[in-house]
Amino acid sequence: MSTTNDNLFVNASAEKAVLGAAMLDADAAKHIARLPADIMRDAATALVFDIIKALQTAGQHVDVVTVSAELDKRQIEAQPLAVDMSYLIDCTRGVPAPSIYTEYIPILEECRKRRTLYELGTQLRDQISNGAREPDEVRQWAARAIKESAQSDNAALIPLSDALVRTYAQIEEDHTKDEETGDDGRIYSGITSLDEKLGGLKGGLYVAIGARPGVGKSALALRYCAQAATNKRRALLVSLEMDEIQITQRLLADFSGVPLKAITGDPLDDDANLRLGNTMLGLSAAGLWYSTTANTVEKIAEAAYQLYEKGGLDLIAIDYLQLMDATYSKKNGRQEQISEISRGLRKLAAELKIPILVLTQLNRESVKAFKDENGKPVRREPSMSDARESGSIEQDANIFILLHQPTKDEMPSDHAKKIYEKVTNERGMRVLKILIEKNRQGKCGRLDVAFDGDHMRFYPLNGKTEEKEEE
């Protein structure tokens, strides 16, 4: 690299400040330790960064004293760098406040990207100069290299010893509730029967919700987001079908009790206006953000990390998968594009360690009627294989939920048919079947709910209409 442009490739001051923040603040240390290993270029900062990552992985406290002790151990036999306790203290002195590291990380990421591109350029020049390589072959190599660079996550070898430490920490976290709030760290829908079956959504899960248009999958995604946002969590709802006003109208219908049709156009009386005003005031501090333009995995990741850097993020919901665009498979068929998107979202859930809900349209075959043994037309229940344009979604998802709106004749018993009539005729709601067809963290099964479309609310029917649970 040219020495005249070293400031574009390495920013030693920013590297030291980020390390200083890690040694001053435990939360900063957790986040900084998850940065890629090659983000530090300076030899001294790279050594300190490696020590911080090792301490964090081992569950040990990170500060100047612990880093210095580990530093001394490493430099006993190795050729020592100019790194000692005074160097570490100098790192911390360059930090105005621990939270400032969030402004320095983009600087380091830009330097890292420039280094990667510079190295790719050098390799490309060597490929071009190789007379044995055809130009088209070199062009294909360059396209693959740039794609892999954009994805940029190298496979890591994880020893069992590290996995055991992390697994124990995860088990402890999964069984520990916040002493003040009782929060167990999972995301719930507020639909008791569904939450009991799923046990809440843990971080890193990729969850698919499939249904035909108009059945209620958008409402279920909004319910998850609203429950998170009003319970001191932060959620991002990516909607490529509705704008922020349409989404918020549905949110207000749920929390205020004012019917959606009144909010969207019917006359509002004084009581409804008062309830809407109070609800808006109550929701104003909720941690919910919308994006109506993030139509690729990369744009969703950018929005997610923006929120992550400004206070954290606990849930992403995407409405819906088939409206997204692929980045690398644009010239391929739509099935390959959807597969790329689905894999990218699953990877993002794992990176952010938060659940990602993705809605997916089901094809028309999922509700196609056929004749039973008596010649009576009936419909089958939908399955994961009905996900439109891709079979990879059912493979990628940790949990796959299907929503189905049955007819009265499809209810399994006379008693269930009576419940159906009461829900639909007396209460003006719809009966929906929630089918948990895949669940890598627990049991599969089914449950019925009443869906109040006027208020975007789901009510469990408490096992009164369900068929026998499936293992």
Side-chain angles (χ1 to χ4, degrees), residues 175-192:
H175 292 81
T176 301
K177 293 186 177 181
D178 187 280
E179 292 182 0
E180 294 183 3
T181 65
D183 188 359
D184 62 3
R186 304 189 184 201
I187 301 294
Y188 293 91
S189 67
I191 305 170
T192 54

Side-chain angles (χ1 to χ4, degrees), residues 88-99:
L88 301 179
I89 293 174
D90 188 47
C91 288
T92 62
R93 284 175 177 167
V95 183
S99 60

Side-chain angles (χ1 to χ4, degrees), residues 35-53:
L35 295 173
D38 61 345
I39 198 166
M40 302 289 176
R41 183 69 168 195
D42 181 77
T45 56
L47 173 60
V48 176
F49 180 54
D50 187 59
I51 291 172
I52 289 173
K53 287 175 76 73

